[in-house]
Amino acid sequence: MPRLEELANVALRVPSILVLDLLYKCDIEGLTEHLKAKNEDMLFKYKYVIWNMYYLGHLINVVLLVLPLRHIVTLYLHILAALLLYMGHQISKDYVREELQYGYEGAVYLDSLTFNRFVSAMTSQIILSTLCAFLMSTRKVWLFSAHMLPLLARLCAAPHATLLTVNTFSMGLTGAGITVFLLSHLFLPYRLARAAYSELLQLEVIELYRLLAVGISLWNQFAVPVLFSVFWFVLFIVQLCSDTMSGNASAGHQGIMFFLLTSVSECCATPYSLLGLTFVVSYLALGLLNLCKFYLGGYVAVQNENVMHRGVTEGVTLLLLALQTGLLDMQALQRTFLLSIILFIVVTSTLQSMIEITDPVILALGASRNRSLWKHFRGLSMCLLLLIFPVYMAYKISQFFHMDFWLLILVSSCMLTSLQVTGTMLIYSLFMVELFRSDPIESLDEVIYWVNAVSRVLEFVVALCVVAYGTWESLFGEWSWMGASVIIIHSYFNVWLRAQSGWRSFLLRQEAAKKINSLPRATAQQLQQHNDVCSICFQV
């Protein structure tokens, strides 16, 4: 039952977001500009009505979106009952029309065709009335039986002209009942708003941490990430089917990847769909990272969650880049190309997180002298994937776009990813060489330090080249404040801080080497006397 409530909590709120998305896409200004009226006063009234209906639609759907689940279920049950009543009146209308066409006005049971038609219609009407009573949780089936009046009139051998009158009367009776019901619940939104306001007052959300607690509670209660993800998947499937059914030839000429990117770009043209894509990317990144953990360490590794490896970084990156570059305001083709670059950055960030997961695992396998071939195979295969895939990505995007400063930053991030994996595999190889040697490698710690140092120096050189190229392009090419700010930020974080960290590490290493060299060398007699125990163990 809780699972069913969770499913209903998401599924029943998705239509509200779909309608909000459609309302956002509506060009009301274009519609009002093409309106024609007898005079300016009537034109103003038409525009006033249209704009108020537009805003009212937004308000109604936002209210439906934030309603508690029990009220949403009740609303959908009433809508379903109204649809069933509409079906009942349509059945009665079709029945009356067929009777008029047939022309027989005698008793129903005396004509086989008339009797069969009557039994079929009456059976359908009884089922519909029973369903309406069941949905409204009442035993008063007669409340939902107004659409049966034309059939009862025909059973009493009423003339055909009377059937039309009775049918119109039954529809009016149902309409009057619905009107009375709506008027009796006219102040229901006000009562709900007052109840919600009273609950907020009881919570006393004056202090910031209490306000945050209420926000987090509502976030979890409405299941916002899952809700927007389901909404986006529905939108994407509909768009994909629409593009496929319309005979879009881009899949054949440009490839399946461009076809999918075009469909994805069409599904991020509004703030709602962009937010949905953000959560979808976050969940996909989380799934990929968990798959990496499971492949390397099994189910136990998946349980050890890291806050930085939950896909949040990838989702936030996509959202910020989309807002910064004005993705929503672009045309479809421009949005497709920009989205491909943004997704490239997101994939690069995900690969970096995968390196952070793989690096300690593969080094631990080498240092612990683990002899499980399957574990070594999994670690090495993941390293090879992280080594080759960024290079392939850099090659493809350099073939697709013209080389400039922005593209160079993307390609350099892929090169840095491959460099990090190369350094990790070299250190792992050193551990493996020592494992198969009869005597240990002299100064292995020193060799590992220099391997890491060379890897960091190469990363620093790549970052420095990016800054140099960006500065040259800004001075002799196109100048922009955005490009200058990116160069400054890149210089600070990837050059200056990296240089400071490397130099500090080098100085600490030199200091440690001086302290070690200042210690006296042990003689053979001292080693024999202390049973060849190192100084650290001897002090303990």
Side-chain angles (χ1 to χ4, degrees):
M1 197 64 180
R3 290 289 183 182
L4 186 60
E5 288 184 3
E6 292 177 3
L7 181 63
N9 187 38
V10 173
L12 297 181
R13 298 183 195 274
V14 169
S16 298
I17 309 180
L18 286 170
V19 175
L20 286 172
D21 189 75
L22 289 174
L23 286 174
Y24 187 88
K25 292 179 180 179
C26 289
D27 186 12
I28 301 298
E29 292 184 0
L31 177 64
T32 53
E33 286 178 359
H34 292 84
L35 284 177
K36 295 182 180 179
K38 295 180 180 179
N39 50 52
E40 290 294 328
D41 187 39
M42 291 298 297
L43 182 62
F44 175 77
K45 289 180 180 179
Y46 287 153
K47 291 182 178 181
Y48 180 79
V49 171
I50 291 175
W51 277 107
N52 278 278
M53 289 177 61
Y54 178 72
Y55 292 129
L56 182 63
H58 275 87
L59 179 63
I60 291 174
N61 282 280
V62 169
V63 171
L64 293 179
L65 186 61
V66 300
L67 275 178
L69 180 60
R70 63 181 184 277
H71 294 294
I72 295 180
V73 172
T74 303
L75 176 64
Y76 275 100
L77 290 178
H78 281 82
I79 293 175
L80 188 57
L83 291 175
L84 291 176
L85 289 176
Y86 174 76
M87 287 178 59
H89 282 289
Q90 282 296 115
I91 292 173
S92 296
K93 184 179 178 180
D94 293 340
Y95 174 77
V96 170
R97 187 181 70 252
E98 290 176 0
E99 285 295 312
L100 292 175
Q101 291 177 353
Y102 190 62
Y104 176 73
E105 294 188 358
V108 173
Y109 52 86
L110 294 179
D111 186 80
S112 59
L113 291 176
T114 304
F115 183 73
N116 290 334
R117 187 162 50 247
F118 175 81
V119 170
S120 299
M122 181 61 74
T123 304
S124 302
Q125 300 286 35
I126 291 173
I127 292 173
L128 291 177
S129 300
T130 307
L131 284 175
C132 288
F134 173 74
L135 292 175
M136 296 295 99
S137 301
T138 179
R139 294 186 178 181
K140 299 177 181 180
V141 184
W142 56 272
L143 289 173
F144 310 97
S145 302
H147 48 77
M148 298 173 63
L149 291 178
L151 278 78
L152 295 177
R154 182 65 186 90
L155 184 64
C156 298
H160 287 169
T162 307
L163 288 181
L164 292 173
T165 305
V166 172
N167 185 47
T168 305
F169 174 74
S170 68
M171 288 190 291
L173 192 62
T174 301
I178 293 175
T179 304
V180 171
F181 176 80
L182 292 176
L183 290 175
S184 63
H185 292 81
L186 186 62
F187 295 99
L188 180 62
Y190 169 74
R191 290 196 295 270
L192 289 174
R194 189 176 63 181
Y197 180 71
S198 301
E199 290 184 5
L200 287 176
L201 287 181
Q202 291 176 1
L203 292 173
E204 297 180 355
V205 289
I206 301 175
E207 299 181 6
L208 180 60
Y209 74 92
R210 291 187 178 180
L211 186 62
L212 290 175
V214 172
I216 293 172
S217 175
L218 292 176
W219 180 280
N220 295 328
Q221 182 181 350
F222 293 144
V224 174
V226 179
L227 175 62
F228 276 90
S229 299
V230 172
F231 152 71
W232 190 86
F233 269 118
V234 171
L235 206 64
F236 179 67
I237 291 172
V238 171
Q239 182 65 39
L240 209 59
C241 294
S242 175
D243 291 343
T244 305
M245 296 297 292
S246 63
N248 196 340
S250 62
H253 295 296
Q254 301 293 341
I256 188 66
M257 186 60 67
F258 185 81
F259 177 72
L260 291 175
L261 278 174
T262 305
S263 300
V264 171
S265 67
E266 290 290 342
C267 296
C268 60
T270 66
Y272 308 103
S273 54
L274 178 60
L275 197 59
L277 179 61
T278 299
F279 288 117
V280 168
V281 167
S282 182
Y283 276 120
L284 289 176
L286 176 61
L288 191 60
L289 294 177
N290 283 337
L291 184 63
C292 176
K293 292 178 183 178
F294 179 77
Y295 181 71
L296 292 173
Y299 183 73
V300 179
V302 180
Q303 301 302 311
N304 301 326
E305 289 191 1
N306 188 339
V307 180
M308 301 302 296
H309 298 155
R310 300 192 64 180
V312 179
T313 305
E314 287 75 12
V316 173
T317 301
L318 182 138
L319 182 61
L320 292 178
L321 288 174
L323 295 176
Q324 182 66 34
T325 54
L327 183 70
L328 299 178
D329 301 327
M330 293 185 175
Q331 297 297 325
L333 188 60
Q334 293 176 334
R335 193 164 57 242
T336 301
F337 284 108
L338 180 59
L339 186 64
S340 64
I341 296 175
I342 294 175
L343 291 177
F344 182 91
I345 297 172
V346 170
V347 172
T348 305
S349 175
T350 307
L351 291 175
Q352 186 63 40
S353 299
M354 293 175 67
I355 290 175
E356 294 173 2
I357 295 171
T358 308
D359 188 72
V361 173
I362 193 70
L363 293 180
L365 284 174
S368 63
R369 301 177 179 241
N370 193 303
R371 294 185 178 274
S372 174
L373 294 178
W374 175 234
K375 289 184 178 180
H376 284 272
F377 172 77
R378 287 183 295 180
L380 286 174
S381 59
M382 183 59 67
C383 285
L384 288 174
L385 174 65
L386 296 175
L387 177 66
I388 297 172
F389 191 66
V391 177
Y392 175 75
M393 288 174 55
Y395 171 75
K396 292 298 289 185
I397 198 169
S398 61
Q399 293 289 318
F400 204 67
F401 295 101
H402 175 69
M403 179 62 71
D404 58 1
F405 174 61
W406 305 99
L407 183 59
L408 184 63
I409 291 179
L410 300 180
V411 173
S412 67
S413 62
C414 294
M415 293 173 61
L416 292 177
T417 302
S418 298
L419 280 174
Q420 292 175 2
V421 178
T422 304
T424 301
M425 293 184 69
L426 285 175
I427 296 174
Y428 169 81
S429 302
L430 290 173
F431 283 132
M432 289 295 100
V433 169
E434 188 184 37
L435 176 62
F436 290 103
R437 281 171 59 98
S438 57
D439 53 335
I441 300 176
E442 290 292 336
S443 304
L444 179 61
D445 181 62
E446 193 77 16
V447 176
I448 292 175
Y449 170 78
W450 284 110
V451 169
N452 283 323
V454 170
S455 176
R456 299 297 178 269
V457 167
L458 289 176
E459 293 175 12
F460 176 76
V461 169
V462 170
L464 197 61
C465 289
V466 171
V467 172
Y469 182 82
T471 305
W472 178 81
E473 190 178 71
S474 298
L475 293 176
F476 301 100
E478 263 186 52
W479 164 266
S480 66
W481 285 108
M482 177 65 69
S485 61
V486 170
I487 292 173
I488 293 171
I489 294 172
H490 183 77
S491 301
Y492 178 74
F493 285 101
N494 292 332
V495 177
W496 176 250
L497 291 183
R498 187 168 287 172
Q500 276 190 328
S501 176
W503 183 251
R504 193 181 303 113
S505 175
F506 176 75
L507 292 179
L508 291 174
R509 182 75 181 186
Q510 290 293 102
E511 186 68 23
K514 288 180 181 179
K515 290 181 179 179
I516 291 175
N517 292 329
S518 65
L519 295 175
R521 294 287 180 179
T523 61
Q525 184 180 0
Q526 288 174 331
L527 291 175
Q528 185 178 3
Q529 180 182 351
H530 297 294
N531 198 21
D532 199 8
V533 179
C534 71
S535 57
I536 298 174
C537 299
F538 180 74
Q539 290 292 333
V540 175

